[in-house]
PDB file of all heavy atoms in Angstrom:
ATOM      1  N   THR B 284     -18.331   4.336   7.255  1.00  0.00           N
ATOM      2  CA  THR B 284     -18.422   2.924   6.974  1.00  0.00           C
ATOM      3  C   THR B 284     -19.160   2.229   8.051  1.00  0.00           C
ATOM      4  O   THR B 284     -18.669   2.092   9.145  1.00  0.00           O
ATOM      5  CB  THR B 284     -16.974   2.281   6.663  1.00  0.00           C
ATOM      6  OG1 THR B 284     -16.425   2.964   5.696  1.00  0.00           O
ATOM      7  CG2 THR B 284     -17.079   0.892   6.311  1.00  0.00           C
ATOM      8  N   GLY B 285     -20.405   1.923   7.766  1.00  0.00           N
ATOM      9  CA  GLY B 285     -21.319   1.356   8.834  1.00  0.00           C
ATOM     10  C   GLY B 285     -21.099  -0.072   9.229  1.00  0.00           C
ATOM     11  O   GLY B 285     -20.200  -0.716   8.683  1.00  0.00           O
ATOM     12  N   GLN B 286     -21.960  -0.525  10.097  1.00  0.00           N
ATOM     13  CA  GLN B 286     -21.778  -1.846  10.604  1.00  0.00           C
ATOM     14  C   GLN B 286     -22.274  -2.871   9.462  1.00  0.00           C
ATOM     15  O   GLN B 286     -21.770  -4.020   9.591  1.00  0.00           O
ATOM     16  CB  GLN B 286     -22.797  -1.970  11.818  1.00  0.00           C
ATOM     17  CG  GLN B 286     -22.411  -2.928  12.737  1.00  0.00           C
ATOM     18  CD  GLN B 286     -23.377  -2.766  13.964  1.00  0.00           C
ATOM     19  OE1 GLN B 286     -23.711  -1.629  14.271  1.00  0.00           O
ATOM     20  NE2 GLN B 286     -23.629  -3.747  14.675  1.00  0.00           N
ATOM     21  N   TYR B 287     -23.067  -2.476   8.561  1.00  0.00           N
ATOM     22  CA  TYR B 287     -23.531  -3.416   7.544  1.00  0.00           C
ATOM     23  C   TYR B 287     -22.982  -2.805   6.247  1.00  0.00           C
ATOM     24  O   TYR B 287     -23.108  -1.843   5.847  1.00  0.00           O
ATOM     25  CB  TYR B 287     -24.950  -3.425   7.501  1.00  0.00           C
ATOM     26  CG  TYR B 287     -25.586  -3.846   8.759  1.00  0.00           C
ATOM     27  CD1 TYR B 287     -26.001  -2.854   9.639  1.00  0.00           C
ATOM     28  CD2 TYR B 287     -25.532  -5.140   9.190  1.00  0.00           C
ATOM     29  CE1 TYR B 287     -26.562  -3.212  10.910  1.00  0.00           C
ATOM     30  CE2 TYR B 287     -26.071  -5.499  10.419  1.00  0.00           C
ATOM     31  CZ  TYR B 287     -26.523  -4.493  11.366  1.00  0.00           C
ATOM     32  OH  TYR B 287     -27.007  -4.881  12.618  1.00  0.00           O
ATOM     33  N   ALA B 288     -22.288  -3.791   5.439  1.00  0.00           N
ATOM     34  CA  ALA B 288     -21.578  -3.401   4.233  1.00  0.00           C
ATOM     35  C   ALA B 288     -22.438  -2.660   3.390  1.00  0.00           C
ATOM     36  O   ALA B 288     -23.558  -3.094   2.985  1.00  0.00           O
ATOM     37  CB  ALA B 288     -21.073  -4.653   3.628  1.00  0.00           C
ATOM     38  N   PHE B 325      -6.187  -2.692  -1.617  1.00  0.00           N
ATOM     39  CA  PHE B 325      -7.046  -3.584  -0.699  1.00  0.00           C
ATOM     40  C   PHE B 325      -7.032  -5.032  -1.149  1.00  0.00           C
ATOM     41  O   PHE B 325      -7.914  -5.852  -0.804  1.00  0.00           O
ATOM     42  CB  PHE B 325      -8.367  -3.047  -0.500  1.00  0.00           C
ATOM     43  CG  PHE B 325      -8.482  -1.835   0.453  1.00  0.00           C
ATOM     44  CD1 PHE B 325      -8.034  -0.546  -0.082  1.00  0.00           C
ATOM     45  CD2 PHE B 325      -8.880  -1.918   1.776  1.00  0.00           C
ATOM     46  CE1 PHE B 325      -8.003   0.559   0.791  1.00  0.00           C
ATOM     47  CE2 PHE B 325      -8.849  -0.884   2.577  1.00  0.00           C
ATOM     48  CZ  PHE B 325      -8.434   0.388   2.119  1.00  0.00           C
ATOM     49  N   SER B 339     -16.245 -12.926   0.003  1.00  0.00           N
ATOM     50  CA  SER B 339     -16.243 -13.480   1.333  1.00  0.00           C
ATOM     51  C   SER B 339     -16.583 -12.203   2.225  1.00  0.00           C
ATOM     52  O   SER B 339     -16.460 -11.049   1.839  1.00  0.00           O
ATOM     53  CB  SER B 339     -14.943 -13.996   1.827  1.00  0.00           C
ATOM     54  OG  SER B 339     -13.979 -12.956   1.829  1.00  0.00           O
ATOM     55  N   GLY B 340     -16.955 -12.620   3.522  1.00  0.00           N
ATOM     56  CA  GLY B 340     -17.190 -11.396   4.450  1.00  0.00           C
ATOM     57  C   GLY B 340     -16.090 -10.437   4.550  1.00  0.00           C
ATOM     58  O   GLY B 340     -16.279  -9.175   4.622  1.00  0.00           O
ATOM     59  N   GLY B 341     -14.819 -10.955   4.663  1.00  0.00           N
ATOM     60  CA  GLY B 341     -13.668 -10.130   4.730  1.00  0.00           C
ATOM     61  C   GLY B 341     -13.485  -9.223   3.518  1.00  0.00           C
ATOM     62  O   GLY B 341     -13.137  -8.103   3.670  1.00  0.00           O
ATOM     63  N   MET B 342     -13.710  -9.811   2.423  1.00  0.00           N
ATOM     64  CA  MET B 342     -13.494  -9.083   1.097  1.00  0.00           C
ATOM     65  C   MET B 342     -14.634  -7.929   1.133  1.00  0.00           C
ATOM     66  O   MET B 342     -14.319  -6.814   0.497  1.00  0.00           O
ATOM     67  CB  MET B 342     -13.712  -9.902  -0.046  1.00  0.00           C
ATOM     68  CG  MET B 342     -12.551 -10.865  -0.333  1.00  0.00           C
ATOM     69  SD  MET B 342     -13.034 -12.214  -1.410  1.00  0.00           S
ATOM     70  CE  MET B 342     -12.875 -11.404  -2.988  1.00  0.00           C
ATOM     71  N   ARG B 343     -15.796  -8.264   1.516  1.00  0.00           N
ATOM     72  CA  ARG B 343     -16.846  -7.207   1.465  1.00  0.00           C
ATOM     73  C   ARG B 343     -16.507  -5.997   2.310  1.00  0.00           C
ATOM     74  O   ARG B 343     -16.552  -4.881   1.934  1.00  0.00           O
ATOM     75  CB  ARG B 343     -18.198  -7.715   1.991  1.00  0.00           C
ATOM     76  CG  ARG B 343     -18.931  -8.785   0.989  1.00  0.00           C
ATOM     77  CD  ARG B 343     -20.013  -9.341   1.741  1.00  0.00           C
ATOM     78  NE  ARG B 343     -21.082  -8.392   2.085  1.00  0.00           N
ATOM     79  CZ  ARG B 343     -22.181  -8.191   1.358  1.00  0.00           C
ATOM     80  NH1 ARG B 343     -22.273  -8.928   0.228  1.00  0.00           N
ATOM     81  NH2 ARG B 343     -23.022  -7.277   1.634  1.00  0.00           N
ATOM     82  N   ARG B 344     -15.997  -6.313   3.551  1.00  0.00           N
ATOM     83  CA  ARG B 344     -15.616  -5.257   4.445  1.00  0.00           C
ATOM     84  C   ARG B 344     -14.430  -4.449   3.928  1.00  0.00           C
ATOM     85  O   ARG B 344     -14.481  -3.227   3.995  1.00  0.00           O
ATOM     86  CB  ARG B 344     -15.157  -5.829   5.788  1.00  0.00           C
ATOM     87  CG  ARG B 344     -16.197  -6.477   6.597  1.00  0.00           C
ATOM     88  CD  ARG B 344     -17.154  -5.478   7.086  1.00  0.00           C
ATOM     89  NE  ARG B 344     -18.304  -6.026   7.853  1.00  0.00           N
ATOM     90  CZ  ARG B 344     -18.356  -6.015   9.209  1.00  0.00           C
ATOM     91  NH1 ARG B 344     -17.516  -5.344   9.889  1.00  0.00           N
ATOM     92  NH2 ARG B 344     -19.468  -6.547   9.813  1.00  0.00           N
ATOM     93  N   ARG B 345     -13.451  -5.152   3.196  1.00  0.00           N
ATOM     94  CA  ARG B 345     -12.423  -4.364   2.639  1.00  0.00           C
ATOM     95  C   ARG B 345     -12.884  -3.471   1.519  1.00  0.00           C
ATOM     96  O   ARG B 345     -12.546  -2.333   1.506  1.00  0.00           O
ATOM     97  CB  ARG B 345     -11.318  -5.372   2.158  1.00  0.00           C
ATOM     98  CG  ARG B 345     -10.668  -6.060   3.157  1.00  0.00           C
ATOM     99  CD  ARG B 345      -9.211  -6.476   2.767  1.00  0.00           C
ATOM    100  NE  ARG B 345      -8.984  -7.190   1.490  1.00  0.00           N
ATOM    101  CZ  ARG B 345      -9.160  -8.533   1.466  1.00  0.00           C
ATOM    102  NH1 ARG B 345      -9.580  -9.186   2.439  1.00  0.00           N
ATOM    103  NH2 ARG B 345      -9.022  -9.093   0.251  1.00  0.00           N
ATOM    104  N   LEU B 346     -13.786  -3.959   0.689  1.00  0.00           N
ATOM    105  CA  LEU B 346     -14.332  -3.155  -0.285  1.00  0.00           C
ATOM    106  C   LEU B 346     -15.157  -1.952   0.256  1.00  0.00           C
ATOM    107  O   LEU B 346     -14.959  -0.879  -0.163  1.00  0.00           O
ATOM    108  CB  LEU B 346     -15.341  -3.911  -1.222  1.00  0.00           C
ATOM    109  CG  LEU B 346     -15.916  -3.237  -2.462  1.00  0.00           C
ATOM    110  CD1 LEU B 346     -14.837  -2.924  -3.537  1.00  0.00           C
ATOM    111  CD2 LEU B 346     -17.014  -3.932  -3.073  1.00  0.00           C
ATOM    112  N   ASP B 347     -15.818  -2.164   1.339  1.00  0.00           N
ATOM    113  CA  ASP B 347     -16.605  -1.137   1.922  1.00  0.00           C
ATOM    114  C   ASP B 347     -15.667  -0.046   2.440  1.00  0.00           C
ATOM    115  O   ASP B 347     -15.965   1.111   2.356  1.00  0.00           O
ATOM    116  CB  ASP B 347     -17.363  -1.847   3.082  1.00  0.00           C
ATOM    117  CG  ASP B 347     -18.613  -1.141   3.530  1.00  0.00           C
ATOM    118  OD1 ASP B 347     -19.151  -0.274   2.732  1.00  0.00           O
ATOM    119  OD2 ASP B 347     -19.062  -1.219   4.658  1.00  0.00           O
ATOM    120  N   LEU B 348     -14.569  -0.531   3.165  1.00  0.00           N
ATOM    121  CA  LEU B 348     -13.607   0.361   3.576  1.00  0.00           C
ATOM    122  C   LEU B 348     -12.993   1.233   2.467  1.00  0.00           C
ATOM    123  O   LEU B 348     -12.821   2.420   2.628  1.00  0.00           O
ATOM    124  CB  LEU B 348     -12.554  -0.391   4.450  1.00  0.00           C
ATOM    125  CG  LEU B 348     -11.607   0.504   5.331  1.00  0.00           C
ATOM    126  CD1 LEU B 348     -12.411   1.376   6.299  1.00  0.00           C
ATOM    127  CD2 LEU B 348     -10.641  -0.404   6.061  1.00  0.00           C
ATOM    128  N   ALA B 349     -12.680   0.597   1.447  1.00  0.00           N
ATOM    129  CA  ALA B 349     -12.046   1.234   0.207  1.00  0.00           C
ATOM    130  C   ALA B 349     -13.041   2.304  -0.288  1.00  0.00           C
ATOM    131  O   ALA B 349     -12.673   3.410  -0.568  1.00  0.00           O
ATOM    132  CB  ALA B 349     -11.789   0.225  -0.876  1.00  0.00           C
ATOM    133  N   ASP B 362     -17.977   1.928  12.055  1.00  0.00           N
ATOM    134  CA  ASP B 362     -18.816   1.501  13.035  1.00  0.00           C
ATOM    135  C   ASP B 362     -18.743  -0.082  13.111  1.00  0.00           C
ATOM    136  O   ASP B 362     -19.060  -0.743  12.136  1.00  0.00           O
ATOM    137  CB  ASP B 362     -20.383   1.819  12.756  1.00  0.00           C
ATOM    138  CG  ASP B 362     -21.312   1.508  13.831  1.00  0.00           C
ATOM    139  OD1 ASP B 362     -20.750   1.235  14.989  1.00  0.00           O
ATOM    140  OD2 ASP B 362     -22.489   1.571  13.781  1.00  0.00           O
ATOM    141  N   GLU B 363     -18.101  -0.497  14.171  1.00  0.00           N
ATOM    142  CA  GLU B 363     -17.808  -1.970  14.259  1.00  0.00           C
ATOM    143  C   GLU B 363     -17.172  -2.661  13.063  1.00  0.00           C
ATOM    144  O   GLU B 363     -17.859  -3.493  12.556  1.00  0.00           O
ATOM    145  CB  GLU B 363     -19.115  -2.696  14.842  1.00  0.00           C
ATOM    146  CG  GLU B 363     -19.713  -2.038  16.048  1.00  0.00           C
ATOM    147  CD  GLU B 363     -20.488  -2.986  16.887  1.00  0.00           C
ATOM    148  OE1 GLU B 363     -20.543  -4.226  16.530  1.00  0.00           O
ATOM    149  OE2 GLU B 363     -21.164  -2.541  17.899  1.00  0.00           O
ATOM    150  N   PRO B 364     -16.073  -2.295  12.778  1.00  0.00           N
ATOM    151  CA  PRO B 364     -15.635  -2.704  11.428  1.00  0.00           C
ATOM    152  C   PRO B 364     -15.322  -4.121  11.383  1.00  0.00           C
ATOM    153  O   PRO B 364     -15.187  -4.735  10.188  1.00  0.00           O
ATOM    154  CB  PRO B 364     -14.245  -1.940  11.241  1.00  0.00           C
ATOM    155  CG  PRO B 364     -13.818  -1.625  12.631  1.00  0.00           C
ATOM    156  CD  PRO B 364     -15.132  -1.442  13.386  1.00  0.00           C
ATOM    157  N   THR B 365     -15.157  -4.864  12.379  1.00  0.00           N
ATOM    158  CA  THR B 365     -14.787  -6.293  12.329  1.00  0.00           C
ATOM    159  C   THR B 365     -15.846  -7.270  12.986  1.00  0.00           C
ATOM    160  O   THR B 365     -15.651  -8.416  13.106  1.00  0.00           O
ATOM    161  CB  THR B 365     -13.555  -6.628  12.883  1.00  0.00           C
ATOM    162  OG1 THR B 365     -13.521  -6.489  14.374  1.00  0.00           O
ATOM    163  CG2 THR B 365     -12.355  -5.888  12.395  1.00  0.00           C
ATOM    164  N   THR B 366     -17.014  -6.633  13.336  1.00  0.00           N
ATOM    165  CA  THR B 366     -18.002  -7.565  13.918  1.00  0.00           C
ATOM    166  C   THR B 366     -18.389  -8.617  12.825  1.00  0.00           C
ATOM    167  O   THR B 366     -18.718  -8.243  11.776  1.00  0.00           O
ATOM    168  CB  THR B 366     -19.227  -6.760  14.535  1.00  0.00           C
ATOM    169  OG1 THR B 366     -18.791  -5.854  15.450  1.00  0.00           O
ATOM    170  CG2 THR B 366     -20.269  -7.629  14.950  1.00  0.00           C
ATOM    171  N   GLY B 367     -18.440  -9.912  13.238  1.00  0.00           N
ATOM    172  CA  GLY B 367     -18.856 -11.004  12.382  1.00  0.00           C
ATOM    173  C   GLY B 367     -17.766 -11.597  11.485  1.00  0.00           C
ATOM    174  O   GLY B 367     -18.055 -12.374  10.691  1.00  0.00           O
ATOM    175  N   LEU B 368     -16.569 -10.952  11.647  1.00  0.00           N
ATOM    176  CA  LEU B 368     -15.510 -11.520  10.843  1.00  0.00           C
ATOM    177  C   LEU B 368     -14.713 -12.652  11.551  1.00  0.00           C
ATOM    178  O   LEU B 368     -14.602 -12.624  12.782  1.00  0.00           O
ATOM    179  CB  LEU B 368     -14.443 -10.434  10.417  1.00  0.00           C
ATOM    180  CG  LEU B 368     -14.898  -9.293   9.367  1.00  0.00           C
ATOM    181  CD1 LEU B 368     -13.864  -8.453   8.976  1.00  0.00           C
ATOM    182  CD2 LEU B 368     -15.477 -10.014   8.096  1.00  0.00           C
ATOM    183  N   MET B 376      -8.121  -6.806   8.380  1.00  0.00           N
ATOM    184  CA  MET B 376      -8.821  -5.605   8.411  1.00  0.00           C
ATOM    185  C   MET B 376      -8.099  -4.644   9.424  1.00  0.00           C
ATOM    186  O   MET B 376      -7.965  -3.428   9.120  1.00  0.00           O
ATOM    187  CB  MET B 376     -10.181  -5.979   9.090  1.00  0.00           C
ATOM    188  CG  MET B 376     -11.223  -5.008   8.788  1.00  0.00           C
ATOM    189  SD  MET B 376     -11.642  -4.689   7.106  1.00  0.00           S
ATOM    190  CE  MET B 376     -12.664  -3.305   7.262  1.00  0.00           C
TER     191      MET B 376
END
Side-chain angles (χ1 to χ4, degrees):
Chain B
T284 302
Q286 209 168 327
Y287 305 95
F325 284 78
S339 70
M342 289 164 78
R343 285 170 69 94
R344 292 289 179 106
R345 293 212 302 280
L346 182 70
D347 204 24
L348 191 57
D362 193 12
E363 304 203 9
T365 66
T366 298
L368 290 186
M376 204 57 189

